Amino acid sequence: MTGNRTDAGVDTGIERHEYDVVVIGAGGAGLRAAIAAHDAGARVAIVCKSLLGKAHTVMAEGGIAAAMGNLYADDNWRVHFRDTMRGGKMLNNWRMAQLHAQEAPERVLELEEWGALFDRTADGLISQRDFGGHRYARLAHVGDRTGLEMIRTLQQRAVDLDIDVFMEFTVTELFRDPSTGSGGTGGRISGAFGYWRETGRFVVFESPTVVLATGGIGKSYQVTSNSWEYTGDGHALAMRAGASLINMEFVQFHPTGMVWPPSVKGLLVTESVRGDGGVLKNAEGERFMFDYIPEFFKKETADTIEEAEGWYTDKKNHRRPPELLPRDEVARAINSEIKAGRGSPHGGVYLDIASRRSPDFIRRRLPSMYHQFKELADVDITQEPMEVGPTCHYVMGGVEVDADTEQSIVEGLYAAGEVAGGMHGSNRLGGNSLSDLLVFGRRAGHNAAYHSMRTKQRPTVSAEQVKAASAAALHPFEVEGGENPYTIQTDLQDVMQRLVGIIRTEAELRDSLAEIERLKERAKRLSVEGHRQYNPGWHLALDLANMLVVSECIAKAALERQESRGGHTRDDYPTPDDGWGALNLVLTLPSDSDSVDLKHQPLPVMPDDLKTLFEES
Amino acid sequence: MSTATTEAGAAPATSTTTMTVTVKILRYNPEVSEEQHWESYQVTAEPTDRVLDALHKVKWDLDGSLTFRRSCAHGVCGSDAMRINGKNRLACKTLLKDVNPSEPITVEPIKGLPVLKDLVVDMEPFFAAYRSVMPFLITTGNEPTRERLQSQKDRDRFDDTTKCILCAACTTSCPVYWTDGQYFGPQAIVGAHRFIFDSRDEGTDQRLEILNDQEGVWRCRTTFNCTEACPRGIEVTKAIQEVKRALIFRR
C-alpha cells in the first residue's frame, strides 16, 4: 500500500486505524524510523503533509557527514565527535554527538546497500567532500543533490517493504491515556488525530507509540530556505502532549541564501560551493573572512590567503580557509559586512567560484547551483560571482529526548531529526543533518517498535478525546468575519525576522514577545472560508497555532540566555559565558495555560575519557 | 533594527519594472460544480517573479480557496508541475518574463490524471506505475561486510535518470498516456532505467519483462514531449530508447 492514499473512504463517522508505531513526517528521519520499526516487526504507518518524497530532506544538497575515512585515513568518529561538539560550542548533548559520530558511517553504507548513488573515488569507494567545521573531507555525496538521492533511496526501500503511507495528511493532536504509564501525569501515548488534506475528513490512529519526524520551524521567518511544511508541527504537538523542548534559542541562519531576484530571496546556495573552492568577497573585492576568525577557532584556521590556498590540495600542512568556519560565524561576518556598507547591489555579498575553478568543474560538481542561478537569476556562476546573504535554515532546538532511545519525557513519544533537540548544541555543522536523520531516525524507529510490542495492555483513545480534538480542528470555521490566516502568518514572519533574527537585543526580544501575544489573540479570532475539502486557508489556520507557540519558545529562550553562542547572538551580551554554557533552557506548555514555561537545567556532563579529546590541539 | 540583513542592503541596481499580469486559471471545485471553468485574476508582479509567485498572490490576496501543490519552490521536490500556456512546467521554475506576460498566462492541471480540486490531480495512478517497475535495488547473496565498490564510470552510466523528481511532467505530457491510462508512462520507464543500468542491480531481467508488457515501452511513439517537459533536463526519450534496445538485445 506504500505511496498509497490509505483512504478507507468512509462517509460517516471517523476513520480509525491501529498500528504499533505511527511516524509523523516522511523526510529522512521519518522514513528511516519507519523502516527500522518495520524491520523490528512492528506494524507501521507513515503520515506526511505532502506527497511522499517531497519532504524537506529532498532539498539537502551537500552531503552526509560520516567519518568513513575514504579520503583521509586519519578520520574517525572521535575527530567527527570533536568537530561536532566544537561546532555546537560545546552545548551539544555529548552522548547524542558520540552516537552520531560512531554510527554515521554504517548508516551511509546501509544507504549504499539499498541502492543509493554516490560520487566515487578513483578506487570506487564513496567519495567525500569538504564542508565547514569538519576537519577532513567527510561528506558522502552525489553532486549537489544528495538529499534527493537519500530520500528517493529511503522511499524506494519503503516501497520494497510495503509500508503504509498516509500522504497529504496532517496530524493536529496527540492522545495520551491517563489510565496508563509510569511516572508523569497524563499517561502514555495512545494515538494521534488528524485530517486528510484532500477531503478534510478526520482520522484517529490508535498506537502505543508515535515518532515525531516533522522537521523544523523556518516558515516563522520571512527570509528562509525552508518550505511551507516547516511550521513547527512536531515541536508544538510534543509540547501540547506534555513533552519539553530544549535549545530553542538556537536558530541557524545559513550564510549563503540567494538575495535576488526578490521572489527567490532566501533560497539556499549550498555550502559545497565553498567546500569546492568558492570564496566570499565584499563590494570592494576583499576576501573579508580573514577579518572574522574568532579566538575559539584561531588554531585551526588559516590567517593568510597563501595558507588557505594551500589547504585545498594539502590538508596536512595547512589550516582551513576561514570561509569554511562553522555557519554561525560566516553568517555573522556576512551580516557585519553588509551593515558596514560593503554589501553587493542587492544587499548581499559575493560568493565567487567562477574566478577560481573551471566552468567544467563547476558544472560537474555543482550542477543544481548552476541551473538554479541560470534559470532563476539569469546568472552564470561559471562566469560571474553569486550574490548571497543569510537565510533562516535550521533550528537546533527541539524535543528533549533520551540520547540512546530518542524517547521524550512522555512515555511512547519519540522524536528524531530536526524536530529533536540536543544533538547539535548551539550550532549545527553542515552535513551533520542528513547523518542525524539516519542515525536517530533508525534509533527512534527501533526503540518505538520494541516499546510498542512490549506493551501488554494497549492504551486507548476515548470518545471524549476524539470529540474534543475534532472540535478544536473545526474551530477556525466557527468565527465569521474574522481575519484571514495569511495576514497573521505574514505579520508573524515580519516580527520574527525583525526582532528575533541573527543579532538580538533585550529590548527587541521583549517587543517580540508582546507582538506574539497580540498575534495569539488575533489568531483566536481568525476565520476561514469554504469547506473542509482541500482548503488551504483552513490548513494554514491550524498550522499557524503551531508557528505561534514555537515562535514564543524561540523568543522566550532567546531573551533568557544572556550570552552569545552559536546560533544565538546577543548584541547586549556579545561573548560566550561559562555559566550559561553549562545550561539548557527547557520549555514546556502547562496544560492550564496558553503561555510557555521556561526553566534552567544543567547539561549532561561529558565523561572524562571524551573530555581528553578536547585537550589536544 | 539590528537583525535584518534583508533590510540592510542598498537599493537594487538592476531595477525591475513592476507589471500587471493576467493569470487565467482552470478552476474546479466538485463541492460547487461538476464543471471546470476558467477564471482570470490580475496580479502585480516583477518580470523575474515566477508563476508560483503569481499563484501565491492570487491565493493570499484575491481568492484563498485556490488550491495547488508546492513545496520546495525551486525545482527539487517536484510538487508543482502544471500546464502553463499549454506546456508542462514547474511553476516554481517558470519566470513570468519567459511566458509572454503581456498576454494572459493560462494555468491548468497536468493532463491525464483525475483532477481533485483546481490544480491538484490524483497522483495515485502515477505512483502505481512507479511502483510497478520495482523501483528498488535488487541484489542477491550475502549482504556486503565491506564497502561495495562502484567505479565512477559505472555510476555515471545512470546518472541522468537518477535526477528524476517524480513531478509527473513527462508522463502527463505524453499523448499515449492521455489516451491510454494503462500505459506505464515515461516516468516509470525512467525509474526502471535507473536500476537496469546500475551495475549493482541484479533485477534487470524482471524489470525488462515488466516493461516488455503490452502497456510497456513499446507503446512509446517517440514524440519527445516527455524530454521537452522534463524540468530536470533528463533525456527521457533517450532513456526509453535505451530500454527498448536492451529488450531487443536481450532477445
Side-chain angles (χ1 to χ4, degrees):
Chain A
M1 222 169 347
T2 304
N4 240 332
R5 181 170 292 108
T6 319
D7 190 343
V10 192
D11 280 330
T12 54
I14 288 178
E15 189 183 329
R16 289 180 100 100
H17 297 275
E18 207 179 287
Y19 286 97
D20 299 322
V21 179
V22 170
V23 179
I24 307 176
L31 287 169
R32 189 62 193 83
I35 292 167
H38 173 93
D39 288 348
R43 292 170 301 160
V44 191
I46 300 172
V47 180
C48 54
K49 256 161 102 168
S50 289
L51 294 172
L52 188 63
K54 312 298 183 196
H56 214 281
T57 305
V58 87
M59 293 158 71
E61 289 157 352
I64 313 168
M68 306 170 76
N70 283 359
L71 260 64
Y72 292 89
D74 291 344
D75 200 10
N76 61 53
W77 76 261
R78 288 180 187 82
V79 188
H80 190 182
F81 167 73
R82 183 179 171 278
D83 290 347
T84 300
M85 292 293 303
R86 283 177 60 79
K89 294 277 164 62
M90 307 305 286
L91 205 78
N92 319 51
N93 177 309
W94 67 267
R95 177 63 180 159
M96 290 178 91
Q98 180 189 30
L99 289 170
H100 167 259
Q102 287 174 330
E103 295 178 3
E106 280 170 57
R107 298 285 79 76
V108 172
L109 289 180
E110 176 180 80
L111 215 53
E112 197 281 341
E113 207 172 284
W114 294 342
L117 176 75
F118 286 103
D119 286 353
R120 299 284 175 160
T121 67
D123 299 330
L125 292 167
I126 292 172
S127 183
Q128 302 192 268
R129 78 159 25 120
D130 283 308
F131 242 53
H134 293 281
R135 181 146 164 201
Y136 298 108
R138 188 181 280 151
L139 270 65
H141 63 278
V142 43
D144 53 4
R145 59 172 199 280
T146 315
L148 172 64
E149 185 61 16
M150 177 163 143
I151 205 160
R152 198 66 76 238
T153 303
L154 293 170
Q155 178 181 0
Q156 286 158 356
R157 183 76 183 162
V159 168
D160 194 6
L161 300 175
D162 205 18
I163 295 171
D164 291 352
V165 181
F166 293 70
M167 294 198 270
E168 302 197 302
F169 187 103
T170 302
V171 172
T172 59
E173 218 62 71
L174 301 178
F175 295 126
R176 294 172 71 174
D177 182 345
S179 70
T180 60
S182 51
T185 52
R188 56 176 300 169
I189 285 288
S190 56
F193 180 91
Y195 62 93
W196 290 107
R197 298 175 75 82
E198 181 197 329
T199 58
R201 281 208 301 264
F202 295 136
V203 178
V204 172
F205 289 99
E206 288 174 281
S207 174
T209 61
V210 167
V211 178
L212 297 172
T214 51
I217 57 95
K219 268 304 173 200
S220 296
Y221 285 84
Q222 218 166 42
V223 179
T224 176
S225 64
N226 291 174
S227 56
W228 71 271
E229 293 95 333
Y230 265 35
T231 48
D233 297 2
H235 290 80
L237 286 170
M239 286 194 102
R240 289 200 294 268
S244 48
L245 306 187
I246 56 169
N247 292 350
M248 289 305 288
E249 61 276 38
F250 302 109
V251 176
Q252 180 168 83
F253 290 83
H254 193 290
T256 60
M258 289 176 81
V259 295
W260 196 88
S263 64
V264 294
K265 188 167 188 151
L267 210 65
L268 194 66
V269 179
T270 175
E271 191 168 333
S272 313
V273 176
R274 283 171 286 138
D276 287 350
V279 296
L280 294 162
K281 291 176 181 170
N282 61 22
E284 291 154 18
E286 185 198 359
R287 206 170 144 182
F288 59 83
M289 278 309 299
F290 289 98
D291 303 335
Y292 294 94
I293 304 168
E295 201 55 48
F296 193 77
F297 293 110
K298 273 225 157 83
K299 275 187 184 157
E300 58 213 70
T301 311
D303 49 15
T304 64
I305 290 187
E306 293 68 39
E307 185 179 4
E309 289 304 294
W311 177 84
Y312 294 103
T313 46
D314 175 9
K315 295 190 168 53
K316 279 239 155 70
N317 298 306
H318 299 82
R319 292 174 298 174
R320 36 189 321 110
E323 283 83 4
L324 289 172
L325 280 164
R327 289 175 175 173
D328 53 333
E329 307 291 352
V330 183
R332 273 192 298 272
I334 293 175
N335 199 52
S336 303
E337 284 296 307
I338 297 167
K339 275 203 183 156
R342 294 187 291 270
S344 65
H346 300 104
V349 295
Y350 294 109
L351 172 59
D352 173 26
I353 191 165
S355 74
R356 300 172 51 81
R357 298 287 182 266
S358 72
D360 184 54
F361 176 92
I362 298 167
R363 275 192 295 264
R364 184 163 45 81
R365 298 279 295 183
L366 304 161
S368 310
M369 282 307 103
Y370 174 75
H371 288 291
Q372 182 172 313
F373 274 89
K374 194 88 192 128
E375 287 160 14
L376 299 177
D378 209 12
V379 167
D380 180 350
I381 68 167
T382 69
Q383 303 299 322
E384 320 164 54
M386 296 158 248
E387 279 185 73
V388 297
T391 178
C392 177
H393 184 55
Y394 188 87
V395 64
M396 271 63 76
V399 180
E400 185 186 19
V401 292
D402 173 73
D404 287 72
T405 64
E406 316 339 306
Q407 187 171 235
S408 71
I409 59 170
V410 174
E411 193 180 350
L413 181 61
Y414 296 74
E418 189 170 353
V419 69
M423 160 67 207
H424 304 286
S426 69
N427 174 53
R428 175 175 70 78
L429 294 185
N432 270 1
S433 179
L434 293 188
S435 42
D436 167 8
L437 307 182
L438 294 172
V439 167
F440 295 108
R442 172 181 161 279
R443 281 183 163 268
H446 265 163
N447 285 297
Y450 293 142
H451 194 128
S452 193
M453 291 185 295
R454 278 199 306 270
T455 305
K456 291 199 184 73
Q457 199 196 344
R458 287 176 70 93
T460 54
V461 176
S462 72
E464 292 73 45
Q465 285 176 315
V466 174
K467 209 172 146 191
S470 78
L474 291 174
H475 179 74
F477 286 112
E478 278 164 21
V479 182
E480 273 180 41
E483 252 186 296
N484 164 348
Y486 297 104
T487 320
I488 304 179
Q489 182 192 28
T490 308
D491 290 352
L492 174 66
Q493 290 166 337
D494 172 65
V495 167
M496 293 303 284
Q497 187 78 31
R498 256 187 320 115
L499 306 174
V500 200
I502 304 184
I503 314 289
R504 302 159 176 181
T505 66
E506 178 174 338
E508 290 186 347
L509 289 167
R510 286 196 189 284
D511 284 353
S512 77
L513 283 165
E515 294 274 3
I516 290 168
E517 281 309 311
R518 280 193 282 276
L519 290 166
K520 275 158 73 177
E521 285 307 310
R522 282 168 59 190
K524 283 180 194 159
R525 297 187 306 272
L526 61 76
S527 52
V528 286
E529 292 164 27
H531 302 278
R532 281 159 69 177
Q533 209 220 355
Y534 230 130
N535 185 336
W538 177 42
H539 302 167
L540 179 63
L542 295 174
D543 293 347
L544 188 61
N546 301 337
M547 297 167 77
L548 283 163
V549 69
V550 166
S551 297
E552 184 181 344
C553 287
I554 296 170
K556 210 159 207 166
L559 174 63
E560 182 76 5
R561 185 173 285 275
Q562 297 178 338
E563 65 158 353
S564 290
R565 180 183 299 273
H568 171 65
T569 306
R570 285 282 297 262
D571 219 13
D572 38 2
Y573 300 94
T575 53
D577 171 275
D578 287 348
W580 285 107
L583 284 178
N584 272 145
L585 302 181
V586 183
L587 299 140
T588 48
L589 191 62
S591 52
D592 53 355
S593 158
D594 68 346
S595 256
V596 299
D597 250 14
L598 181 149
K599 73 172 179 14
H600 293 195
Q601 179 175 290
L603 273 191
V605 179
M606 191 187 296
D608 291 341
D609 61 321
L610 290 179
K611 273 186 191 155
T612 58
L613 294 174
F614 298 88
E615 286 157 14
E616 60 201 59
S617 83
Chain B
M1 294 310 149
S2 58
T3 25
T5 311
T6 52
E7 295 162 22
T14 328
S15 65
T16 49
T17 21
T18 304
M19 55 185 189
T20 303
V21 180
T22 305
V23 193
K24 197 175 151 196
I25 305 171
L26 192 58
R27 302 288 311 259
Y28 173 62
N29 182 353
E31 287 188 346
V32 177
S33 160
E34 283 304 304
E35 298 291 314
Q36 286 177 304
H37 67 281
W38 290 99
E39 262 180 61
S40 291
Y41 304 89
Q42 298 214 318
V43 295
T44 346
E46 304 286 330
T48 52
D49 283 353
R50 301 158 299 168
V51 172
L52 180 66
D53 302 309
L55 293 175
H56 272 141
K57 280 181 184 163
V58 172
K59 189 171 93 167
W60 292 335
D61 304 334
L62 302 173
D63 185 345
S65 71
L66 179 65
T67 306
F68 52 91
R69 290 191 177 105
R70 83 290 184 220
S71 189
C72 81
H74 64 294
V76 186
C77 78
S79 295
D80 64 350
M82 41 191 86
R83 257 167 95 81
I84 299 166
N85 283 354
K87 277 190 177 168
N88 279 6
R89 298 161 174 272
L90 296 182
C92 63
K93 278 183 86 180
T94 307
L95 303 190
L96 292 174
K97 70 183 172 70
D98 298 334
V99 286
N100 189 21
S102 53
E103 296 289 319
I105 298 166
T106 62
V107 182
E108 311 159 67
I110 43 178
K111 270 174 83 170
L113 292 167
V115 180
L116 298 173
K117 190 180 176 194
D118 294 338
L119 302 170
V120 174
V121 297
D122 182 359
M123 294 288 279
E124 182 44 31
F126 172 78
F127 284 127
Y130 165 68
R131 289 192 300 268
S132 69
V133 298
M134 302 193 296
F136 39 82
L137 196 75
I138 298 173
T139 52
T140 51
N142 294 328
E143 292 189 352
T145 49
R146 280 183 300 144
E147 186 172 337
R148 176 171 50 193
L149 304 183
Q150 182 172 45
S151 73
Q152 182 68 27
K153 190 166 160 259
D154 283 347
R155 167 240 177 277
D156 287 343
R157 179 66 188 85
F158 62 107
D159 185 84
D160 199 40
T161 40
T162 64
K163 294 189 306 203
C164 175
I165 53 175
L166 295 171
C167 68
C170 60
T171 294
T172 60
S173 72
C174 174
V176 181
Y177 189 80
W178 294 338
T179 52
D180 176 3
Q182 298 302 307
Y183 172 46
F184 291 154
Q187 192 289 322
I189 303 171
V190 163
H193 178 282
R194 179 249 173 275
F195 290 101
I196 291 169
F197 293 94
D198 186 336
S199 57
R200 301 167 299 177
D201 186 72
E202 295 165 21
T204 301
D205 282 345
Q206 286 164 272
R207 274 186 253 276
L208 286 176
E209 206 42 62
I210 294 168
L211 293 172
N212 199 21
D213 185 90
Q214 57 169 347
E215 302 300 344
V217 286
W218 306 111
R219 302 300 309 272
C220 164
R221 295 203 312 251
T222 331
T223 52
F224 283 92
N225 278 23
C226 49
T227 302
E228 206 179 308
C230 179
R232 302 282 289 176
I234 299 172
E235 295 181 88
V236 183
T237 316
K238 186 180 158 204
I240 297 173
Q241 290 303 102
E242 287 179 351
V243 172
K244 284 181 181 169
R245 224 176 299 133
L247 269 167
I248 294 166
F249 190 65
R250 190 179 65 140
R251 284 180 198 152

